[in-house]
Amino acid sequence: MSVARDGEEGLTAIRTQRPDLVILDVMMPGSMGSRPVCGAGGPGVGRRPHPDAHAKGREAEQKKGLGLGADAYMPKPFSTHELVAKAKQLLASPA
């Protein structure tokens, strides 16, 4: 597991560590939250399953996150159990 403090650090970690799953907080500082990170995030990123964690739970934000390539949208607050269950579901799904 790896944690990034901002979007650029997150993209660097995705490119170098090649994680199986990326949990993206779309409110994090940097450029990661407003663009498709795991589907078309640029060279070296490739496709990674990722749920978006977001403080905004309105339907418009959910549609935007899913439209940008998120595999799930989890409005905050959510429980650790919900996050683990969603991660297991995404990792078990065929790519």
Side-chain angles (χ1 to χ4, degrees):
M1 185 168 88
S2 179
V3 177
R5 292 179 295 249
D6 60 45
E8 293 308 313
E9 188 177 307
L11 285 172
T12 298
I14 292 168
R15 287 184 182 111
T16 59
Q17 298 174 20
R18 315 289 289 171
D20 294 324
L21 179 77
V22 174
I23 298 171
L24 172 63
D25 184 340
V26 297
M27 299 297 287
M28 82 181 317
S31 61
M32 209 167 166
S34 63
R35 65 179 170 177
V37 171
C38 297
V45 174
R47 178 75 183 121
R48 301 283 183 277
H50 75 287
D52 277 358
H54 204 299
K56 299 176 181 177
R58 295 185 313 196
E59 187 176 347
E61 280 88 10
Q62 291 179 18
K63 285 182 179 181
K64 180 180 178 183
L66 294 170
L68 288 172
D71 295 294
Y73 191 94
M74 300 183 66
K76 296 176 187 175
F78 51 82
S79 74
T80 305
H81 296 290
E82 289 175 289
L83 180 60
V84 170
K86 183 55 68 177
K88 286 180 178 179
Q89 176 190 6
L90 290 171
L91 289 169
S93 297

